[in-house]
Amino acid sequence: MDNASNLIEIANEFLDSLSELNNKLKEVVIKIKNKNIDEIEFNNIISTLEENLKTLQNLKSKMEFLEFDYPYKNVGKLRGSYDSEGLQEIANYSSYLRRIASEKKGILERVKHALVAHKIALGHLSEDIGNIDLPPNLPLDGSYKKIMSEFPPYLINTYKEFLDILEPKGRGILTSYTVSFIVIDKGKREFKRIKVEDKNYEKFIKEKYGNVIITSIKRNYSKNKIIDDQYVRRVLAIGYLNTYKDEIEKTIEEKLNRLLSEEDKKYLKKYLELTSTFNEEEDISGGILDIRCVEEKKLKELELKEILEKEGLYKNGEPIDSLKEAIKLKNELSKKISFDILIKRFSEDVFKFYLYKTPDERSRSNLFPSIMITPQKGFLTWMKVEGVDCVNVLDLKFKLEEELPKYQIPLKNIGGVALYLIHDWDVVERFNFDKKEIEDLLKKIALIEPLKEILISKNVDIKKLEKFGKVKKEKTKKFLNLLGKL
């Protein structure tokens, strides 16, 4: 027990020492953005994060060795008979053990969140496509609940909704359809069963097999999560909300200013000022329910209502109609805008991660630890990037990543090929791919006949590819096709 207590004390002291690290990172990020960062200063912050990561990994290993991850094991288990004095001593000791067990669980959780936050911070600072705004807003000392406690209620709801996307409930994610059907060809009937990822499976089957008789459709669900590690999911959710909360609040305010009358804005502003003062004065007694606190809260609520009535904001204990509508509008906008901005910003980063990196690079990256290396379409439907069909672009890219190695074609810049085939050159250039390099890749791909059928199945206009396929030497074309059969 002494070892455990010492380890808890050491871990708490170390984590508490990290409280100023976020401010140091903010200063570094500002300098990076202003392009006046000193190389030594940048390397120092990276070294600090790396050293912290080693310490956190060491703490985690020691805690798991001492079974901190099973803290309540054997707590409260009694054998034999005892007199009343003995039972009292055992009860006191059991209470002590439960307290230590609770401390073990809490400190291990904090270490795990801090460890994940450090990994992600290093990834986004060190990798080319990292989001450098994210690291200063991560719970680097593991106190993610402290950051959450400072969020307004609507952001806490957005946090929960975001986690539901990363960790789907119920049957899971709809990933594909197994369709059984009969094809009639020259009077003969042939039974077929295929798996289709596209939700428009009827169109897909008709284009490939003509008119058919569908006999059954089975929906296939997956319980897998796009980000497997629960600590990564939590840290990312907190980090992204913390990073973009100012943008969220500003957007809500701008929208309200456009939609509310001057009088309604005045009512709402006064109401929010008074209620925020009331909320700040509320006492939280360490989570212990005290009847006196409950009664005091009721009295304060009555007092607040009286103040609101005197200010003309309430009538008969209820908000006046115009204030009620303004509050309703604010709540609706807060919910929608916070979720939309969070998904937009997260989508942009995840899309770039999949677009630019090869499967091997994705497996070694710390931008999104434990993320699926090559997800099915069903796991990407939440993604929203303006002007881009994320799902079909990435689905095509992943298929090319699977096929092109058979023809000795490198996977670098394949994201640009997918963007061109699904969209056009303007989108390719928007994501900073070199047009000549993409054209060179397209010329190689256009020579491979077996790939054309695959591309057609991915809703690609094959004419966009064929114009790059004018081959002077037929031998080159035959050689590439032979490679695919090896």
Side-chain angles (χ1 to χ4, degrees):
M1 191 57 66
D2 288 340
N3 286 340
S5 297
N6 288 338
L7 189 55
I8 289 169
E9 186 178 347
I10 290 166
N12 273 319
E13 285 178 2
F14 176 70
L15 290 168
D16 290 344
S17 74
L18 303 179
S19 58
E20 288 302 310
L21 185 55
N22 291 79
N23 289 331
K24 288 179 184 175
L25 271 174
K26 280 178 186 174
E27 293 172 8
V28 168
V29 166
I30 289 168
K31 289 179 180 178
I32 292 171
K33 286 184 166 183
N34 292 335
K35 297 182 179 177
N36 62 354
I37 184 72
D38 181 79
E39 188 178 347
I40 295 172
E41 186 180 5
F42 180 76
N43 290 336
N44 283 342
I45 199 74
I46 294 295
S47 295
T48 299
L49 289 168
E50 288 173 343
E51 287 301 315
N52 289 349
L53 187 59
K54 287 177 187 175
T55 303
L56 289 164
Q57 286 169 332
N58 188 37
L59 286 170
K60 178 175 173 283
S61 297
K62 287 180 178 178
M63 288 175 178
E64 288 175 343
F65 178 75
L66 293 173
E67 296 188 318
F68 275 40
D69 41 350
Y70 299 101
Y72 295 99
K73 187 179 178 183
N74 298 322
V75 172
K77 290 184 179 179
L78 299 176
R79 290 181 181 178
S81 57
Y82 304 89
D83 58 23
S84 58
E85 188 178 340
L87 285 171
Q88 182 60 46
E89 287 181 9
I90 289 167
N92 291 338
Y93 187 62
S94 293
S95 177
Y96 166 74
L97 289 177
R98 279 192 291 272
R99 179 176 64 79
I100 293 296
S102 178
E103 287 181 15
K104 284 181 178 180
K105 182 181 178 183
I107 193 63
L108 180 58
E109 287 283 294
R110 194 177 168 194
V111 165
K112 285 180 176 179
H113 284 97
L115 194 155
V116 163
H118 274 71
K119 274 188 181 179
I120 294 170
L122 280 165
H124 283 268
L125 285 170
S126 305
E127 298 180 37
D128 289 341
I129 59 168
N131 179 345
I132 61 167
D133 289 321
L134 185 63
N137 294 289
L138 295 167
L140 296 167
D141 67 351
S143 300
Y144 78 99
K145 287 183 179 178
K146 183 183 175 185
I147 297 175
M148 277 189 69
S149 70
E150 296 168 359
F151 286 164
Y154 74 87
L155 282 186
I156 293 171
N157 289 332
T158 301
Y159 166 83
K160 292 174 182 175
E161 286 181 50
F162 183 65
L163 287 184
D164 285 343
I165 286 175
L166 301 183
E167 185 184 3
K169 302 292 187 292
R171 289 181 292 182
I173 294 283
L174 177 61
T175 57
S176 62
Y177 303 83
T178 301
V179 186
S180 301
F181 55 94
I182 296 169
V183 180
I184 302 174
D185 184 26
K186 297 178 182 178
K188 293 182 179 179
R189 294 189 169 206
E190 183 182 356
F191 179 81
K192 288 186 179 291
R193 180 183 288 120
I194 62 169
K195 187 179 280 189
V196 185
E197 287 188 27
D198 196 330
K199 64 181 179 181
N200 198 355
Y201 52 84
E202 289 183 350
K203 181 184 176 185
F204 174 83
I205 291 170
K206 187 171 182 179
E207 286 175 352
K208 188 162 186 177
Y209 299 98
N211 292 322
V212 302
I213 301 168
I214 294 176
T215 57
S216 70
I217 302 161
K218 180 190 171 189
R219 290 170 174 80
N220 303 311
Y221 293 87
S222 172
K223 290 279 189 181
N224 293 334
K225 305 167 186 70
I226 189 164
I227 295 176
D228 189 56
D229 189 300
Q230 61 174 317
Y231 298 96
V232 175
R233 293 196 296 269
R234 283 194 208 120
V235 166
L236 285 171
I238 290 289
Y240 272 88
L241 274 173
N242 206 25
T243 302
Y244 296 107
K245 66 178 186 295
D246 290 344
E247 180 186 346
I248 290 167
E249 288 170 1
K250 184 182 176 185
T251 307
I252 292 167
E253 191 176 337
E254 288 173 351
K255 193 86 171 177
L256 282 170
N257 281 335
R258 289 200 300 271
L259 296 174
L260 292 176
S261 67
E262 289 302 317
E263 187 177 34
D264 288 346
K265 279 188 267 187
K266 185 179 71 176
Y267 285 146
L268 184 61
K269 183 181 178 183
K270 189 67 178 174
Y271 169 80
L272 292 172
E273 285 173 359
L274 292 169
T275 52
S276 64
T277 304
F278 167 76
N279 290 332
E280 284 170 10
E281 290 175 356
E282 277 194 71
D283 290 321
I284 300 168
S285 306
I288 300 168
L289 183 63
D290 188 327
I291 191 66
R292 290 170 300 180
C293 291
V294 174
E295 290 300 322
E296 188 178 345
K297 186 179 178 183
K298 285 182 179 178
L299 287 170
K300 283 186 176 180
E301 286 175 350
L302 288 171
E303 184 184 337
L304 177 64
K305 283 186 177 181
E306 286 178 7
I307 294 169
L308 291 168
E309 294 218 6
K310 282 179 185 176
E311 294 287 339
L313 301 174
Y314 265 48
K315 189 175 181 180
N316 300 324
E318 293 292 328
I320 59 174
D321 288 344
S322 56
L323 176 60
K324 189 183 287 184
E325 288 302 312
I327 293 170
K328 182 184 175 185
L329 179 62
K330 183 182 185 304
N331 290 340
E332 288 172 353
L333 287 176
S334 298
K335 181 179 179 182
K336 184 178 187 308
I337 288 170
S338 61
F339 186 76
D340 287 351
I341 288 176
L342 178 61
I343 290 298
K344 175 187 173 185
R345 295 304 184 190
F346 187 65
S347 294
E348 287 168 350
D349 289 350
V350 175
F351 180 69
K352 286 190 290 184
F353 167 79
Y354 282 125
L355 185 73
Y356 293 126
K357 289 185 178 289
T358 65
D360 181 57
E361 289 169 339
R362 297 198 292 268
S363 69
R364 291 183 283 107
S365 171
N366 270 327
L367 293 177
F368 306 99
S370 82
I371 197 168
M372 283 183 174
I373 305 303
T374 306
Q376 293 174 274
K377 288 174 77 171
F379 289 95
L380 303 171
T381 54
W382 52 271
M383 292 181 72
K384 289 181 174 65
V385 176
E386 189 175 347
V388 179
D389 182 349
C390 300
V391 175
N392 283 323
V393 167
L394 293 180
D395 183 52
L396 175 58
K397 187 195 182 230
F398 298 153
K399 193 63 184 176
L400 290 172
E401 287 175 346
E402 181 186 329
E403 296 294 327
L404 293 183
K406 299 174 186 176
Y407 304 94
Q408 309 300 310
I409 296 176
L411 296 181
K412 186 185 175 184
N413 292 324
I414 292 302
V417 171
L419 284 172
Y420 166 75
L421 291 173
I422 297 295
H423 292 287
D424 218 320
W425 289 117
D426 57 331
V427 183
V428 175
E429 289 164 5
R430 172 183 157 189
F431 285 90
N432 299 314
F433 286 99
D434 183 273
K435 185 175 181 180
K436 185 180 183 309
E437 288 181 0
I438 303 305
E439 285 178 331
D440 289 343
L441 272 171
L442 288 164
K443 287 172 185 175
K444 292 176 183 177
I445 294 169
L447 304 179
I448 306 168
E449 289 297 326
L451 271 180
K452 290 183 180 179
E453 189 175 341
I454 292 170
L455 294 175
I456 291 169
S457 73
K458 298 293 180 183
N459 298 316
V460 170
D461 179 1
I462 207 68
K463 290 178 183 176
K464 292 177 74 174
L465 179 65
E466 285 178 336
K467 66 182 182 181
F468 292 94
K470 296 174 182 177
V471 186
K472 292 180 180 178
K473 295 183 179 179
E474 190 64 26
K475 287 182 179 179
T476 306
K477 193 173 182 179
K478 287 180 180 179
F479 174 70
L480 284 167
N481 289 330
L482 282 171
L483 275 177
K485 295 175 183 178
L486 292 178

